[in-house]
Amino acid sequence: MFDGIQRRVVSMWFPRLSSDRDLRMCPIDGPFVLTFKQSNANRIYCLNAEAERQGLHRGMAYSDARAFCPDLQSRPADPIGDERFLNVLRRWATRYCPWVGLEGADGLVLDITGAAHLFGGEAMMVTDMRQRLSKAGFSVQIGFADTRGAAWGLAHYGEGLAETGRTLDALGPLPVMALRLEDKTVTALQRMGLRTISDLAGSARAPLTRRFGPGLMMRLDQALGRQPEQITPLADPPHYGVRITLPDPIGLHDDVMAGTSRLLDSLCAKLKTREAGARILCLTLRRVDQEAQVVELRLARPLRDPQRILPLFERGVADVDAGFGIDQMRLEATQVLPLPAQQISSVTSSRKDQLEDLISRLGTRIGLENIQRVLPADSHIPERSFLIAPAAYSEPEGPWVALRPRPLSLFPPEPIAGVGAQPPKQFRWRRMALSTARATGPERITPEWWLEDDNWRSGVRDYWHVETRQGRRLWLYYTPQNPGWFAQGEFA
């Protein structure tokens, strides 16, 4: 009983959730399966009704399935996508009641106590569920009973509706596996002649408890309502959005910034309670003519400090066309990342925060992706000894390790005239006549044989640091296998 009202539970089982979801996006006629790799062999993960009629089943080797059904079509399974979609179905099911939970990887459980009359009764509610899911392309089996265990058993082994207070009458003819028992327990019960739930319910409890433990009788009592079994709905993800409705329209820049400041205080308080920081903020300004102006702010790092965020909105708000006035403001953090609390000390420097704020300011003008930093890479090849990454999405690395000096400017190899393994006394580079004053080297660099690189097919390179009488300090190299001289860099 639930506060004097008989509890009612609905169990929805989607026997072909994965294949139905895939075929809904890209329909295919004929037998179809989703496959997954297990022990170096492709096996059937899920299949449609026509493939089942051909004699195929889950876990079957895909090669054997093709032998039974030559026209079989397949795609790789996506369990992660199925999990996300089941959560979408869970949110959809809240149209019937607020208490909706997941039942394994392919089912839902709903506590519809006191809600069936809103749909014209239990039978009309089940009909509405079937019609909507069928129209969306999903096959479903529905069980309706007083308990969660009974609803699950009816959905999987005897689809139907159990009348209030007559749970055992509905479950009695079902096999014992409808009680959510382990396979080895089901096999042992069948060997004892206990094949149905009515057989099990009429047997002595003590000998069965001694042999199988308390779990067997607990499942039976849960199905019959003798022991409670809760339905825990999944909590909706936190929503980081605040808004304010203004009694009189505003249009001045200072007024909009003052409203934004109030919204930031409320939003940052929400972020602080969950130890999170906003990475992307969206400020929506609704005008009295129902048009909306949107100001998006992308931050270099997750933030929840309103004093640091507010000045970054200055430029975007200045470009807003208020029209005849703004009567509603809404601020939402569209991308949120974890930002745990940090220990504050008197020696903490604010230089890092200032740099991040500068990157955010520049990013609002030219885009965060266009502000880049150079990071060291683990390679002795000059072209591969560094990486270029967006500064907003990377962290600075430690000191660069260079056993030999490297030029400040590095460019693709440019051929120069020269003969022999020693640097040429005189040569021309970029239409300039140069003469060698001092040469330091050679430094031999071999190609990375495990990587394909057309620029290094000429083999090893002997690099020289050449100082010219004209003041140029160049990085030249010589290729012994295919004799030739090239310039690849220039020192400061």
Side-chain angles (χ1 to χ4, degrees):
M1 299 293 290
F2 182 82
D3 293 340
I5 302 175
Q6 180 63 44
R7 187 185 185 194
R8 298 294 281 171
V9 180
V10 174
S11 178
M12 292 184 183
W13 178 43
F14 303 93
R16 291 184 286 272
L17 175 66
S18 302
S19 58
D20 287 346
R21 183 181 73 89
D22 198 280
L23 292 174
R24 185 169 178 260
M25 295 184 295
C26 186
I28 289 179
D29 295 329
F32 171 78
V33 299
L34 294 174
T35 62
F36 73 106
K37 200 163 189 178
Q38 183 183 43
S39 302
N40 295 326
N42 280 337
R43 297 189 176 276
I44 295 178
Y45 179 80
C46 190
L47 64 168
N48 64 353
E50 188 165 346
E52 288 182 348
R53 289 193 291 268
Q54 298 280 350
L56 310 185
H57 57 85
R58 295 193 180 200
M60 185 179 187
Y62 180 65
S63 57
D64 297 339
R66 288 296 302 270
F68 280 97
C69 184
D71 58 341
L72 181 64
Q73 302 180 68
S74 68
R75 293 195 192 106
D78 181 17
I80 298 178
D82 297 337
E83 181 180 356
R84 288 197 298 264
F85 189 76
L86 186 61
N87 278 281
V88 173
L89 289 175
R90 182 196 65 82
R91 290 194 296 271
W92 166 82
T94 56
R95 72 186 310 273
Y96 298 103
C97 67
W99 289 79
V100 183
L102 301 182
E103 192 74 89
D106 54 3
L108 301 175
V109 56
L110 297 77
D111 189 341
I112 54 92
T113 304
H117 70 281
L118 300 175
F119 297 85
E122 296 177 351
M124 295 294 293
M125 175 184 279
V126 172
T127 301
D128 185 75
M129 292 176 178
R130 293 185 192 280
Q131 290 177 350
R132 292 180 181 275
L133 290 170
S134 177
K135 186 177 181 179
F138 292 96
S139 57
V140 62
Q141 295 182 204
I142 301 176
F144 213 124
D146 294 340
T147 64
R148 180 177 182 175
W152 186 93
L154 289 172
H156 286 72
Y157 296 96
E159 188 178 15
L161 189 150
E163 296 181 8
T164 302
R166 304 186 63 179
T167 303
L168 184 57
D169 294 341
L171 292 182
L174 302 184
V176 290
M177 62 187 67
L179 294 176
R180 299 172 292 174
L181 303 175
E182 297 180 358
D183 292 341
K184 61 179 182 180
T185 303
V186 171
T187 302
L189 289 173
Q190 290 176 344
R191 289 175 178 172
M192 296 172 58
L194 303 177
R195 301 183 179 277
T196 65
I197 295 179
S198 59
D199 296 338
L200 181 63
S203 301
R205 298 173 64 94
L208 292 174
T209 302
R210 284 195 298 269
R211 178 167 181 177
F212 297 101
L216 175 61
M217 290 295 106
M218 182 192 69
R219 284 302 191 188
L220 178 62
D221 291 341
Q222 286 177 342
L224 299 180
R226 297 167 185 166
Q227 283 195 20
E229 186 176 9
Q230 298 298 324
I231 297 175
T232 305
L234 296 182
D236 291 328
H239 176 67
Y240 299 102
V242 291
R243 70 177 180 179
I244 182 174
T245 301
L246 305 171
D248 296 316
I250 62 174
L252 297 179
H253 175 271
D254 292 343
D255 294 339
V256 176
M257 290 299 297
T260 305
S261 177
R262 290 183 59 184
L263 293 174
L264 272 174
D265 291 339
S266 300
L267 178 61
C268 290
K270 284 186 177 182
L271 293 170
K272 186 176 181 180
T273 57
R274 296 184 177 272
E275 293 194 349
R279 191 65 186 270
I280 301 177
L281 292 165
C282 185
L283 175 64
T284 304
L285 307 173
R286 195 190 69 179
R287 305 189 310 196
V288 293
D289 59 358
Q290 302 303 314
E291 294 292 331
Q293 299 280 305
V294 179
V295 179
E296 186 181 64
L297 178 63
R298 295 176 177 267
L299 302 174
R301 289 291 182 273
L303 288 179
R304 61 167 177 260
D305 185 354
Q307 296 181 356
R308 292 178 59 189
I309 299 176
L310 182 61
L312 303 177
F313 273 108
E314 288 278 356
R315 183 173 182 272
V317 171
D319 296 336
V320 168
D321 180 13
F324 294 103
I326 296 169
D327 61 358
Q328 187 181 91
M329 302 176 63
R330 185 174 187 272
L331 181 64
E332 181 183 5
T334 56
Q335 183 178 356
V336 177
L337 298 178
L339 185 61
Q342 297 179 351
Q343 181 67 39
I344 299 176
S345 66
S346 59
V347 297
T348 302
S349 174
S350 62
R351 295 182 58 188
K352 183 178 179 181
D353 294 341
Q354 294 174 356
L355 176 61
E356 293 172 355
D357 292 347
L358 176 61
I359 294 174
S360 298
R361 286 181 179 274
L362 296 176
T364 59
R365 295 175 177 267
I366 63 176
L368 287 176
E369 293 78 8
N370 296 322
I371 305 173
Q372 300 175 335
R373 64 160 48 101
V374 180
L375 302 175
D378 187 14
S379 176
H380 62 272
I381 301 298
E383 304 94 302
R384 297 177 181 161
S385 61
F386 63 92
L387 299 173
I388 298 179
Y393 303 102
S394 60
E395 293 289 341
E397 297 288 342
W400 291 64
V401 178
L403 301 179
R404 300 289 182 89
R406 290 291 183 261
L408 183 62
S409 175
L410 197 66
F411 44 79
E414 300 174 359
I416 62 175
V419 179
Q422 296 297 319
K425 297 296 183 181
Q426 296 182 346
F427 58 93
R428 292 186 65 84
W429 174 69
R430 294 183 178 179
R431 298 183 181 181
M432 293 183 290
L434 304 174
S435 57
T436 301
R438 180 183 177 185
T440 305
E443 176 190 356
R444 174 159 290 187
I445 298 180
T446 60
E448 295 175 338
W449 54 266
W450 57 92
L451 297 176
E452 289 289 337
D453 192 343
D454 294 336
N455 297 326
W456 281 78
R457 291 189 180 278
S458 57
V460 300
R461 297 178 181 179
D462 292 334
Y463 280 86
W464 294 78
H465 181 188
V466 176
E467 300 180 11
T468 65
R469 300 183 186 278
Q470 290 75 18
R472 297 282 184 171
R473 302 171 62 230
L474 301 178
W475 206 38
L476 309 182
Y477 72 82
Y478 174 72
T479 54
Q481 291 84 352
N482 186 14
W485 280 92
F486 300 86
Q488 193 179 2
E490 185 174 9
F491 293 88

